[in-house]
Amino acid sequence: EKTKTSFFGKLNKAVAGKSKVDDDVLDNLEEVLVASDVGVDTTLKIIKGIEARVAKDKYVGTEELNEILREEIARLLSETNSGEDVEFTIPKDKKPYVIMVVGVNGVGKTTTIGKLAYQFKKQGYKVVLGAGDTFRAAAIDQLQIWADRVGIPIIKQQMGSDPASVAFDTLSSAVKNDADVVIIDTAGRLHNKINLMNELSKVSRVMQKVVPDTPNDVLLVLDGSTGQNAFEQAKQFTKATNVTSLAVTKLDGTAKGGVVIGISDQFKIPVKYIGVGEGIEDLQVFNKYEFVDSFFSNK
Amino acid sequence: MFDNLSEKLDKALHVLKGHGQITEINVAETLKEVRRALLDADVNFKIAKEFTNTVKEKALGQDVLTALQPGQLMVKLVKDELTQLMGGDVEGINLSGDPSVVLMSGLQGSGKTTFSGKLASYLKTKKTKKPLLVACDVYRPAAVDQLHVVGDQIGVEVFSDRGNTDPVAISKAGIAYAKANGHNVVIIDTAGRLAVDEEMMNEIANIHKAINPQETLFVVDAMTGQDAVNTAKAFNDILNFDGVILTKLDGDTRGGAAISIKSVVNKPIKFIGTGEKMDAIDVFYPARMAERILGMGDVVSLVERA
Ligand SMILES: Nc1nc2c(ncn2[C@@H]2O[C@H](COP(=O)(O)OP(=O)(O)OP(=O)(O)O)[C@@H](O)[C@H]2O)c(=O)[nH]1
Ligand SMILES: Nc1nc2c(ncn2[C@@H]2O[C@H](COP(=O)(O)OP(=O)(O)OP(=O)(O)O)[C@@H](O)[C@H]2O)c(=O)[nH]1
Ligand SMILES: [Mg+2]
Ligand SMILES: [Mg+2]
């Protein structure tokens, strides 16, 4: 909440005492957006959009700025986000529906899996987790605790075992037990490590031996406090694994998560979820209108 | 994103080439690109602005030495300024206590637990210390197990008290255990926390007060964006920490957060993390970081080629 108020506060300051959008306001706005990790390119894109509107409408009062800005940002997100989703759903025609969760180290993959599993279970789905992070110290124990909290089974092997083999076991078990949703955890990996990125392709390939066309969803988790490097993460993970959706975590802090606007725009990948805490309930379905509104509400 | 940086600087520096003196006109374009580079590298926007202003003042009116092209002079100015901003000499860790107590702090997932292990291993092998790791994260699922696995990997003892949910009590008990068992360094791992989480910030303030550590370290992910200044400031306000640890520098982030943090709290960056393994720890070199942030490697070679 603090995040959004301060953004709005700054925006208000940017337009304070001005009756129309002039260069000064746009300069200040640029600062506000850059300071929110939106990035220079995307910021310039947004500003250009606003300038175009100002040129077209001749006069734009600061009152209207919020509205225009809201539209501009929503437009960048709109191609990939329907924006109407309010519930945690999975397509009905795919069973089991397999989600593989990927991302760099420490962004919140395992925690997001726990929260997501909880939501799916609440919807009545039969969920199973796969402990595909066989590398990090106690990663398996961590996922086990989440599975226990949610009350669902977990398929795991020893630390150091082959993640592809764990994924294979998990999907086999899911098929045998008629599960609806499978969520596979993976070890954190930096996107510039080619071997580790290739490992993800291998995990996917092995899954396809059990259930064709899986994983159905590759969820890339981004830390909301990450800066411009998130672009490179999106780029490299997309290359290695055909990322189909994004989750942005840690938005309960002061970080703005603005980088996601540019990523969603550039890679045409929808943001599906946002993490807003460490508790089991602290996951929300991303709603672009709420996201954009949260920037400008709170007058 | 970063690919076209050197290209742009090349163009900008081209403006300077051939002039005998740096003037308002030929410096503007270059500094605009430098500022842009800093922002792309996640340097805080305010600090990027201050920085380019300082460089501009230093640059203006400078005669170009016969041996140097203006572009080279600018590159040198920018790099020197950045290096200076990032800290002078390499600073070690204060081990004057008996035992010396090191307290870890930072946001969730920044790398505290991993770095606790790396530091313990470093002190054990390079400084012939006998460290003890203390598990004070009572929240994160399997945090205590994680530290135990790490301790096993490096052959360092881990103190934990699984039934206990009070990190202040655990930290004190850990230090007492260290004294009784001949450990001369105690490294306290704590839970990740957000700077805006008052309760959790109070908790770490209480740990800090109770154990009075020789060394309080703020562990931060090198990929952090503009928010780095807020977080660093908030932790510093509460803990007045002694140094910063920059993790995950094995990635391709430019790591501009380093300058932002240094500028805002003026505390040395002591170590960097360069991988997940226990030996992936290095002391911090300001000049290298300056080069990394600006992609100087590219720029310097460009100027030399020109
Ligand atoms: N405040 C906050 N903390 C979060 C959120 N999501 C995850 N965390 C915390 O971030 C830290 C790292 O989370 P993990 O789920 O272990 O991250 P990971 O991506 O699985 O990490 P690795 O497997 O080590 O790469 C933990 O302390 C989590 O409790 C969130 O939305 N808000
Ligand atoms: N590539 C790389 N990964 C790192 C580095 N340091 C830590 N990690 C990884 O980052 C993730 C998080 O590290 P942790 O040590 O668990 O972080 P933490 O700050 O203790 O996390 P919380 O206790 O949840 O707040 C793990 O996957 C680590 O392996 C580093 O320097 N490079
Ligand atoms: Mg994990
Ligand atoms: Mg930890």
Side-chain angles (χ1 to χ4, degrees), chain A residues 37 41 136 191 193 228, chain B residues 36 42 140 226 250 252:
Chain A
D37 289 319
D41 282 336
R136 214 215 52 217
H191 49 282
K193 310 221 160 140
Q228 300 309 300
Chain B
R36 168 75 194 250
D42 294 316
R140 168 172 166 165
Q226 297 284 320
D250 45 325
D252 57 7

Side-chain angles (χ1 to χ4, degrees), chain A residues 31 34-35 37 40-41 105 136-138 142 145-146 188 190-193 225-229 232-233 250 252 254-255 278, chain B residues 1 3 36 39-40 42 45 49 108-109 140-142 145-146 149 153 194 196 223-227 248 250-253 276:
Chain A
E31 249 179 35
V34 168
D37 289 319
V40 178
D41 282 336
N105 306 86
R136 214 215 52 217
Q142 185 188 3
I145 291 172
W146 277 105
L190 291 176
H191 49 282
N192 58 341
K193 310 221 160 140
S225 60
T226 302
Q228 300 309 300
N229 192 248
E232 211 53 36
Q233 293 171 24
K250 309 184 193 175
D252 45 328
T254 41
E278 299 185 82
Chain B
M1 188 109 293
D3 305 341
R36 168 75 194 250
L39 290 176
D40 281 344
D42 294 316
F45 76 97
K49 207 179 202 174
Q108 286 93 347
R140 168 172 166 165
D145 301 303
Q146 187 186 356
V149 173
Q153 282 174 356
L194 292 172
V196 286
M223 294 176 275
T224 310
Q226 297 284 320
D227 190 51
K248 308 182 198 174
D250 45 325
D252 57 7
T253 185
E276 296 190 72

Side-chain angles (χ1 to χ4, degrees), chain B residues 270-288:
Chain B
K270 295 201 165 176
F271 288 97
I272 59 171
T274 56
E276 296 190 72
K277 302 236 173 78
M278 283 299 124
D279 58 359
I281 171 176
D282 207 344
V283 288
F284 176 77
Y285 294 104
R288 280 189 209 166

Side-chain angles (χ1 to χ4, degrees), chain A residues 80 97-100 215-220 238 241-246 268-272:
Chain A
T80 47
Y97 188 76
V98 180
I99 304 169
M100 179 166 79
N216 306 91
D217 193 4
V218 176
L219 179 67
L220 172 65
T238 305
T241 61
N242 184 32
V243 174
T244 47
S245 53
L246 303 172
K268 308 294 172 217
I269 307 168
V271 188
K272 266 200 183 162

